[in-house]
Amino acid sequence: MRILVTGGAGFLGSHLCDKLLAQGHEVVCLDNLFTGSKANVAHLMGNPNFEFVRHDIIDPFKYEVDQIYNLACPASPPHYQYNPIKTTKTSVMGAINCLGLAKRIKARVFQASTSEVYGDPTVHPQPESYWGNVNPIGRRSCYDEGKRCAETLFFDYHRENKVDIRIVRIFNTYGPRMHPNDGRVVSNFIVQALKGENITIYGDGTQTRSFCYVDDLIEGFLRLMNQTQTVGPINLGNPGEFTMLELAEQVLKLTKSKSKLTHKPLPADDPKQRRPDITLAKKYLGWEPTIPLAEGLKKTIAYFKTKI
Ligand code: NAD
Ligand code: UDP
């Protein structure tokens, strides 16, 4: 197949491009390089089945493809809050452009949604049936509401225009090719530990997250995209749940770092707990994560050692 990956030069997108090319597909990677980089796909540049296009998804685009994966959107809180209006435009206008194209060329289209649609959840763990607890006017809203609106658009194009959609709700995912200055917790802690800098715990560090290794996640993407039993939304994430203090402890142990913990203010609306209910992913995709946190962290630490 010929497959368009928006956000293909980002952390997740570049791993997806690798996997699709390895399966023998042609890949068009479209990215404006806001948080992604050519370095993430440099190893693919000579491949005749790979094409890089520098383009912003808020402007329309046309490619004759069989499938579209829409991943374009900054994912780290400091990056998506840097220009919040642009973040909403990227999610909403990007979704409209992907869906309009998918409708015209009859391509299957996949949306990278997020556990942030559940906001600061009052139901734990979070099943897909939970409607969420999202502040519509806070600092995280540009991302959360943009992604929620994108889901709405996907379902309306599906119901009104029979567009063949798939939606995945991604829970915190980490691994090689995260940017060292990405700002998300796993990369921050590893970079700080390797440099011997203080580990920045926001708030008291008792908030929880569930961390999925990138290879497991990409396998889930492919399974969702290439089955016909469900359009989603489907949660993909690792149900192992850790406090930020526990994560810091694991990173310090695995890096053998002498870094000390330092506390910084908790960002506004920071969710207190997060863990995916992956019953539907197991049922429809036969998917569950295979890489435990310690193993994924070791691979990620090895990557960052080559970058620092
Ligand atoms: P990332 O920042 O590394 O990748 C995003 C990519 O999109 C970058 O290459 C960036 O340059 C590109 N991009 C941003 N705005 C664009 C625009 N207007 N036009 C074209 N390209 C644009 O982040 P990631 O972790 O790889 O996230 C990929 C997708 O998965 C995002 O949509 C994100 O919301 C979603 N997601 C990721 C996670 C996670 O834990 N990694 C969790 C939930 C959702
Ligand atoms: N966090 C932290 N130190 C950091 C970066 C993040 O303690 O240097 C916390 C953050 O407040 C949040 C959790 O780690 O509670 C996950 O943050 P991240 O930005 O990775 O993702 P998200 O909040 O979007 O899940």
Side-chain angles (χ1 to χ4, degrees), residues 30-47:
L30 183 150
D31 201 296
N32 72 350
L33 300 181
F34 172 43
T35 51
S37 73
K38 279 194 196 167
N40 283 341
V41 288
H43 60 292
L44 303 176
M45 289 295 189
N47 185 330

Side-chain angles (χ1 to χ4, degrees), residues 75-78 80 115-116 140 143 172 183-186 188-189 192 199-203 205 207-209 211 244 265-267 270-271 274:
S76 144
Y80 70 64
S115 52
E116 285 284 321
R140 296 177 87 96
Y143 183 74
N172 299 60
R184 282 177 276 186
V185 69
V186 175
N188 271 10
F189 284 6
Q192 289 160 348
I199 306 283
T200 52
I201 306 279
Y202 299 166
Q207 70 271 34
T208 66
R209 293 292 186 273
F211 298 103
M244 295 313 103
L266 190 67
D270 199 282
R274 181 179 292 158

Side-chain angles (χ1 to χ4, degrees), residues 64-241:
E64 290 296 327
V65 291
D66 305 291
Q67 294 186 340
I68 303 168
Y69 285 85
N70 183 32
L71 273 64
C73 185
S76 144
H79 290 144
Y80 70 64
Q81 290 168 23
Y82 170 75
N83 185 345
I85 297 166
K86 177 66 192 268
T87 299
T88 302
K89 280 187 183 171
T90 294
S91 276
V92 175
M93 294 162 74
I96 291 171
N97 286 329
C98 287
L99 288 159
L101 177 63
K103 181 183 161 188
R104 277 199 303 283
I105 62 175
K106 299 197 179 353
R108 183 171 293 173
V109 58
F110 171 108
Q111 169 65 2
S113 190
T114 168
S115 52
E116 285 284 321
V117 301
Y118 303 123
D120 189 4
T122 54
V123 170
H124 193 72
Q126 295 80 53
E128 292 82 350
S129 54
Y130 176 50
W131 289 357
N133 177 36
V134 176
N135 176 357
I137 57 169
R139 290 277 173 206
R140 296 177 87 96
S141 312
C142 58
Y143 183 74
D144 299 10
E145 297 290 18
K147 290 284 188 180
R148 285 170 69 95
C149 183
E151 287 199 11
T152 307
L153 285 160
F154 267 69
F155 267 87
D156 284 333
Y157 269 78
H158 179 57
R159 281 186 291 255
E160 299 293 311
N161 300 119
K162 307 277 174 288
V163 173
D164 190 13
I165 64 162
R166 300 288 183 277
I167 298 179
V168 64
R169 291 184 179 154
I170 306 165
F171 285 64
N172 299 60
T173 299
Y174 68 97
R177 298 198 199 136
M178 291 185 94
H179 195 282
N181 298 326
D182 179 272
R184 282 177 276 186
V185 69
V186 175
S187 45
N188 271 10
F189 284 6
I190 292 176
V191 170
Q192 289 160 348
L194 291 177
K195 287 185 169 173
E197 294 171 353
N198 285 341
I199 306 283
T200 52
I201 306 279
Y202 299 166
D204 64 7
T206 58
Q207 70 271 34
T208 66
R209 293 292 186 273
S210 301
F211 298 103
C212 184
Y213 188 68
V214 59
D215 290 357
D216 278 334
L217 185 82
I218 301 298
E219 175 63 27
F221 280 14
L222 298 171
R223 289 195 194 188
L224 175 64
M225 190 61 151
N226 296 301
Q227 56 75 48
T228 50
Q229 267 192 294
T230 181
V231 300
I234 290 266
N235 288 338
L236 290 182
N238 192 321
E241 185 180 1

Side-chain angles (χ1 to χ4, degrees), residues 268-293:
D269 298 332
D270 199 282
K272 284 182 272 309
Q273 54 181 0
R274 181 179 292 158
R275 171 152 58 103
D277 178 332
I278 59 166
T279 309
L280 291 185
K282 282 184 186 159
K283 177 177 165 195
Y284 288 114
L285 315 180
W287 179 89
E288 64 184 313
T290 58
I291 301 166
L293 183 63

